Amino acid sequence: QVQLVESGGGLVQAGGSLRLSCAASGRTFSAYTMGWFRQAPGKEREFVASILGSGGITYYADSVKGRFTISRDNAKKTVYLQMNSLKPEDTAVYYCAARIGSSDFGSWGQGTQVTVSS
């Protein structure tokens, strides 16, 4: 398994931007599909975005398309989530996750809080 540590969360006003980072350990980072998920208070965890190992293919939840961008730097073993035009409904704990192939996301970070004020 890979160890994941998120950073970059914080408090921002609506319309603002934040960039989350997720640093990974291990020697085969480029083999992992990386994803970002979020969980708001009282709600289930939901998918936000994912990126394949090569970085060439990305997927987004409809709620963040056009506002969020996922990217990765395999040399730095880091995945990023650039969040623009933030809305109060984006408030949640954001988690980084990793998976190999078509398996479930099996490695998770501890989460980082994002709070968007109106």
Side-chain angles (χ1 to χ4, degrees):
Q1 283 193 341
V2 62
Q3 305 300 316
L4 304 171
V5 179
E6 302 99 333
S7 61
L11 173 64
V12 64
Q13 289 189 332
S17 298
L18 279 175
R19 188 195 197 201
L20 305 183
S21 299
C22 173
S25 64
R27 295 179 294 176
T28 58
F29 178 71
S30 60
Y32 287 88
T33 292
M34 301 299 297
W36 286 97
F37 293 75
R38 66 186 182 186
Q39 186 167 21
K43 295 186 177 181
E44 293 187 354
R45 186 168 58 194
E46 65 175 359
F47 168 79
V48 175
S50 65
I51 185 167
L52 298 190
S54 64
I57 298 176
T58 57
Y59 301 92
Y60 296 93
D62 288 343
S63 58
V64 306
K65 278 181 182 177
R67 301 188 298 121
F68 291 11
T69 303
I70 188 171
S71 62
R72 65 191 295 162
D73 185 331
N74 286 342
K76 295 182 178 179
K77 298 181 182 179
T78 302
V79 62
Y80 305 97
L81 186 68
Q82 178 67 44
M83 305 185 295
N84 298 329
S85 301
L86 282 161
K87 305 175 181 180
E89 52 263 44
D90 293 318
T91 295
V93 177
Y94 283 71
Y95 297 91
C96 174
R99 71 177 188 185
I100 288 283
S102 60
S103 66
D104 292 337
F105 283 94
S107 297
W108 294 84
Q110 82 288 352
T112 185
Q113 177 70 48
V114 171
T115 303
V116 184
S117 63
S118 57

